[in-house]
Amino acid sequence: MAIDFRFIVIGRGMMGAAAARHLSSMAEGVALIGPSEPGDRKAHHGVFASHYDEARITRTFDGNLAWGTFAARALGRYRDIEAKSGISFFSEVGCLFAGPPPKDEQDFLLRALTVSGTLGSDIEIVAPAELDRRFPYLAVGPDFSGYFERKRAGHINPRALVRAQARLAEQGGVALIEATVTSVRDAGSHVEVTAGDRSYSAERVLVAAGAFSNFHALLPRPVDLSVMARTVVFCEIGEREMAIFGNMPSTIVLGDREEDHIYILPPVRYPDGKLYLKLGGDTEALSFSRLEEAGTWFRSDGSVAERDHLSRIALQLMPELAGCPVTSAPCVANFTPTGYPYVGFTPSPRIAVLTGGNFVAAKSSDELGRLGAVLLREGRLGDEDFGRELTPVFV
């Protein structure tokens, strides 16, 4: 039978759009299938994505060499993607980590300094006595030091990055198909993909559906993936607050446990025309195993309890936010038991999977998409691309 496409990428999110762009320079006959962001989130009853936002932290400072490498490779291509697409998405405002003295050699900060040395990242250590003077918006413990990555760090606009990736993919010959895929089947000589009332065939398929990878019949066997609720808090910023927070870098404040870390995005203008400072954490335990559960969460405003908890932390860390209106929104994070993303084939040699952001993948999405593209074309990933670490685990 005639095959419609050589490769199909399922999922028009950050990883899927990146994979399609990279495939556009590797092969002909590529399609990218996925829905656009719903116009009315609270009335939508389909799949969602977590890139429906205006700001995500980007940095190379990381305690894991693989994750640091993915970020460094992606950051190295940001400006080229912007120039070729005509879409700006990267704000190079720097990224500050603030934390107490390391407790042992396995402390995140010491590991991150080692990884930064390997990657050649420029990290400035700010002593406790200097931290308050250099970054006066932030109120932390008197023994906290700063670790400031000024260059090639800051934040990206995930919506804009996805638009840029899709534009370049289409310019490179990729067919963009706006539809939700509900079934992927290995037919022996090819793969059949059902999207709406249409069916498409391909030699190989890459499922890059993020947290929704297990929610439709997209994979011959589900991946081991925890899909967790996350609430983000937005503090509306006025002229007074902009004088204080307007020049702040992206900021991550470390707690006693990894799940106590708090991330803070500097003021960014959102589609409603207002400026918001965004803050989030990693402590929520609510998880989803069905599409209906995830959909209900995405149609909500997140957890009221978590909103209040994060609001209290925001005022502790940034007292000048007192009086700012606070709102919240839902997000999800997906976690793998390995701590690494999945980039590998399923039990079918024609169906591959790319997922597992582990709450840190937005900044690295272009590199993870590239790895998905290489996997689809070459059939494997080498050690230079951490192929063994990225092997999927199935339920």
Side-chain angles (χ1 to χ4, degrees):
M1 63 169 288
I3 301 297
D4 296 319
F5 300 101
R6 183 178 177 190
F7 301 127
I8 289 177
V9 178
I10 296 171
R12 289 178 62 177
M14 300 188 75
M15 294 186 197
R21 180 181 77 82
H22 284 283
L23 278 169
S24 71
S25 64
M26 299 177 181
E28 296 181 347
V30 178
L32 174 62
I33 307 178
S36 298
E37 178 177 354
D40 183 354
R41 171 174 61 86
K42 295 194 173 185
H44 179 63
H45 288 268
V47 299
F48 290 84
S50 290
H51 73 266
Y52 304 156
D53 194 14
E54 300 297 307
R56 292 293 176 84
I57 292 177
T58 189
R59 36 87 182 183
T60 68
F61 193 66
D62 199 290
N64 180 280
L65 179 60
W67 279 109
T69 300
F70 301 150
R73 290 177 179 176
L75 275 154
R77 293 191 286 266
Y78 283 179
R79 294 306 188 195
D80 186 56
I81 296 171
E82 287 183 320
K84 290 180 177 178
S85 68
I87 298 174
S88 297
F89 58 83
F90 176 37
S91 298
E92 194 175 18
V93 299
C95 182
L96 172 70
F97 275 76
K103 295 179 179 179
D104 54 52
E105 292 183 357
Q106 292 305 308
D107 187 274
F108 172 87
L109 293 169
L110 293 182
R111 289 187 285 114
L113 287 172
T114 299
V115 170
S116 295
T118 301
L119 297 176
S121 300
D122 184 11
I123 308 298
E124 178 190 359
I125 300 178
V126 184
E130 285 291 300
L131 191 61
D132 181 62
R133 183 186 66 81
R134 291 277 304 277
F135 304 98
Y137 66 90
L138 189 64
V140 293
D143 61 343
F144 274 48
S145 295
Y147 302 80
F148 186 44
E149 186 172 13
R150 176 66 187 88
K151 297 293 185 181
R152 301 207 315 161
H155 57 88
I156 54 174
N157 182 320
R159 284 185 174 117
L161 175 54
V162 169
R163 289 197 301 270
Q165 300 280 28
R167 176 176 293 181
L168 292 179
E170 188 170 34
Q171 290 175 0
V174 174
L176 302 186
I177 300 172
E178 186 166 335
T180 299
V181 175
T182 55
S183 173
V184 178
R185 185 177 71 88
D186 187 336
S189 61
H190 63 281
V191 182
E192 292 183 357
V193 175
T194 301
D197 57 357
R198 292 287 305 275
S199 182
Y200 305 92
S201 59
E203 295 177 12
R204 285 179 174 170
V205 168
L206 178 67
V207 176
F212 289 77
S213 296
N214 287 335
F215 291 165
H216 280 306
L218 306 183
L219 301 172
R221 188 175 174 185
V223 286
D224 191 346
L225 192 71
S226 298
V227 180
M228 309 296 295
R230 291 294 179 265
T231 300
V232 293
V233 162
F234 297 95
C235 299
E236 185 179 333
I237 300 298
E239 290 185 11
R240 183 190 72 84
E241 292 81 25
M242 275 301 289
I244 299 167
F245 300 103
N247 294 320
M248 68 177 281
S250 295
T251 302
I252 297 175
V253 180
L254 305 185
D256 292 333
R257 305 172 301 167
E258 284 200 18
E259 56 265 36
D260 293 329
H261 300 346
I262 296 295
Y263 66 86
I264 309 165
L265 274 301
V268 169
R269 195 169 300 280
Y270 273 70
D272 64 1
K274 298 179 180 179
L275 289 163
Y276 295 98
L277 181 150
K278 186 177 77 170
L279 181 138
D282 197 19
T283 60
E284 290 174 277
L286 179 64
S287 64
F288 310 113
S289 59
R290 298 186 302 116
L291 174 63
E292 294 79 7
E293 296 169 342
T296 298
W297 174 254
F298 269 105
R299 287 186 292 273
S300 76
D301 291 324
S303 162
V304 173
E306 183 69 4
R307 180 199 66 197
D308 294 344
H309 168 67
L310 290 171
S311 297
R312 287 191 295 269
I313 292 177
L315 290 178
Q316 291 169 8
L317 295 175
M318 297 165 287
E320 295 291 345
L321 289 175
C324 291
V326 174
T327 54
S328 60
C331 188
V332 299
N334 53 77
F335 297 91
T336 66
T338 65
Y340 293 103
Y342 292 152
V343 191
F345 279 95
T346 67
S348 164
R350 283 168 283 275
I351 303 172
V353 62
L354 168 61
T355 191
N358 288 276
F359 210 33
V360 293
K363 63 184 180 298
S364 305
S365 59
D366 184 68
E367 174 61 12
L368 297 177
R370 186 192 72 84
L371 296 180
V374 170
L375 175 72
L376 219 58
R377 187 188 67 172
E378 303 295 336
R380 61 180 296 275
L381 294 177
D383 290 342
E384 71 281 4
D385 288 327
F386 302 91
R388 284 177 291 184
E389 288 86 345
L390 306 185
T391 301
V393 178
F394 296 93
V395 176

